Amino acid sequence: MKAHMAVLFAGAGLLVWTMPVLAHHSFAAEYDADKAIVLKGVVTRIEWMNPHARFYIDVTDDGGRVTNWNLELASPNVLTRNGWKRTSLQIGDPVTVHGSLAKDGSKMANARTVVLPDGRTVFAASSSGNQ
Amino acid sequence: MKKRFTRRILAALAVAGIAAGASLSAASQEAAPRAKSAEKAPPGPAPRTADRKIDFSGIWSADRNFTFDIHDALKKGEALPLQPWAEKIARERLSKDDPEALCLPTGVPRQAPYPWRIVQTGTHMFFLFEGNIHSYRQIFLDGRKHPEDPDPTWYGHSVAGWDGDTLVVDSVGFNEKFWFDFAGHPHSQQLHVIERYSRPDFDRLDYEITIDDPGAYTRPFTLHGHSTYQHNEELMEYICNENNQDVPHIVGKDPRNRYSKPQKPSGGSR
């Protein structure tokens, strides 16, 4: 994980907090680390709450159909310890999310990294790969 | 947009400064002497109370060996001595039913993946948990005994005494509701936990935890773990049940669990 985070932040020249990231539930019983997904969309809602911060994005497919996705982050505490702020994402921000799909087929994913509007990639402090 | 991102980077840099151990103006009162250079100085000795007892107070990291599967906290080569019914229930339990996923307490000795604080006084010790629920464990240091017939509770009834510089915590009176880990290892209300805490230096907390539960295991076994002092850290609020959306989406058991069997997706709840 340390190496993973270091790579993600290398472009920004940052050090990051390396507190272990685990969820309060079994990550792998909810998300499939083998089902990676990349979602490009616009932020529609942000829930800076426990046990996981969440944000929602509208993803428009090639046919113009819009789907709203629910994206899980770490807890606000873990995010804060990794340099996030509650204002790091804003409604209307265009973002690209790399994550793992929910196992139950819902329009949900656990975000691993988020590419911000200016192109920077930030660690989403998800619990994948830690359990 | 550029201005906002600059603010984000500055915030991240501030946190990075904390991670690098840079000195802060508001250092906590129990902060140990720290080197200001990039080189990490060896930790100082464990602090002591006015009556020369080891003072365990401070913020400590979680030990993940007490989170996912307590097999990880056994000595290498050992296995949990589960009674047949206990192994059967561990195989049958589904992650969606884990009390921790439902924002209920960890019980003992399970740990949530969040820092925790020890507050030690002459008569009490409190473990203040940031997560899994924002709760606390109370340990009596005043010489009292366990009640004759304690009501079963999530954290039990804990009394402690000293064996030299080691604090020995004896706990009974647990309910059977909590799981020992994500794996779903069970216990019974006969659970008796003996924890031996030591602080070999300022930064390190060691613990040996003996689980004696003749209701679920064939013999006592001992778990080993340690925590690291979290310099320049404070507990943060964590109200687990504020927005717990996970449970309806949890499918089967964790596939990396030793008791897992292949699970088919349920098809979704939406």
Side-chain angles (χ1 to χ4, degrees), chain B residues 23-101:
Chain B
S23 63
L24 298 180
S25 56
S28 64
Q29 60 182 0
E30 64 273 299
R34 302 283 288 179
K36 291 183 179 177
S37 69
E39 287 295 316
K40 189 178 179 184
R48 290 181 181 270
T49 61
D51 59 353
R52 305 303 300 160
K53 303 293 188 189
I54 294 289
D55 188 351
F56 292 97
S57 297
I59 293 199
W60 299 97
S61 65
D63 184 332
R64 65 176 55 212
N65 289 346
F66 289 79
T67 300
F68 181 62
D69 183 339
I70 57 171
H71 271 98
D72 300 335
L74 290 168
K75 281 190 173 169
K76 195 173 180 181
E78 289 187 337
L80 289 177
L82 289 151
Q83 293 183 15
W85 79 266
E87 181 170 335
K88 181 174 184 289
I89 202 169
R91 288 184 182 281
E92 292 173 351
R93 281 179 165 172
L94 300 176
S95 294
K96 69 178 177 59
D97 299 319
D98 182 357
E100 185 155 329

Side-chain angles (χ1 to χ4, degrees), chain A residues 17-99:
Chain A
W17 186 256
T18 55
M19 183 162 289
V21 180
L22 290 167
H24 71 115
H25 59 84
S26 167
F27 166 86
E30 184 172 1
Y31 299 100
D32 190 340
D34 293 331
K35 288 186 179 174
I37 188 171
V38 180
L39 295 165
K40 291 185 179 182
V42 176
V43 177
T44 61
R45 188 156 52 121
I46 299 151
E47 295 171 347
W48 189 255
M49 286 186 279
N50 288 298
H52 295 279
R54 294 178 181 279
F55 66 104
Y56 300 75
I57 62 173
D58 274 343
V59 178
T60 305
D61 66 16
D62 292 340
R65 188 170 56 187
V66 177
T67 305
N68 193 247
W69 283 79
N70 176 344
L71 301 168
E72 178 174 304
L73 300 166
S75 70
N77 303 8
V78 173
L79 291 170
T80 299
R81 290 176 175 128
N82 278 280
W84 282 64
K85 296 184 71 174
R86 68 181 188 281
T87 53
S88 291
L89 283 176
Q90 302 280 348
I91 291 174
D93 278 354
V95 293
T96 302
V97 180
H98 296 255

Side-chain angles (χ1 to χ4, degrees), chain B residues 16 30 36 41 57 70 76-79 93 136 142 148 150 153 167 169 177 187 214 223 241 244 256 268:
Chain B
E30 64 273 299
K36 291 183 179 177
S57 297
I70 57 171
K76 195 173 180 181
E78 289 187 337
R93 281 179 165 172
Y136 66 91
D142 57 1
E148 281 293 319
T153 58
L167 185 72
V169 181
K177 296 175 182 174
H187 63 281
L223 306 170
N241 55 9
N244 186 15
R256 283 162 287 189

Side-chain angles (χ1 to χ4, degrees), chain A residues 26 28-29 72 88 104 118 131, chain B residues 5 8 246 249 251 254 256 268:
Chain A
S26 167
E72 178 174 304
S88 291
D104 72 351
D118 61 6
Q131 294 172 30
Chain B
F5 183 75
R8 292 173 186 165
D246 297 295
H249 303 285
V251 179
D254 188 300
R256 283 162 287 189

Side-chain angles (χ1 to χ4, degrees), chain B residues 98-176:
Chain B
D98 182 357
E100 185 155 329
L102 296 162
C103 295
L104 289 165
T106 56
V108 178
R110 186 171 180 169
Q111 294 188 28
Y114 291 93
W116 52 291
R117 178 183 276 282
I118 293 179
V119 178
Q120 182 175 333
T121 74
T123 56
H124 294 70
M125 178 179 275
F126 296 98
F127 293 175
L128 307 181
F129 303 121
E130 178 170 304
N132 177 48
I133 68 166
H134 225 43
S135 189
Y136 66 91
R137 191 175 159 206
Q138 169 174 253
I139 297 163
F140 297 108
L141 303 180
D142 57 1
R144 77 181 66 189
K145 307 293 184 190
H146 292 306
E148 281 293 319
D149 184 22
D151 286 337
T153 58
W154 291 85
Y155 295 119
H157 186 273
S158 299
V159 298
W162 294 92
D163 178 8
D165 282 344
T166 299
L167 185 72
V168 183
V169 181
D170 189 291
S171 302
V172 296
F174 294 102
N175 69 33
E176 75 290 350

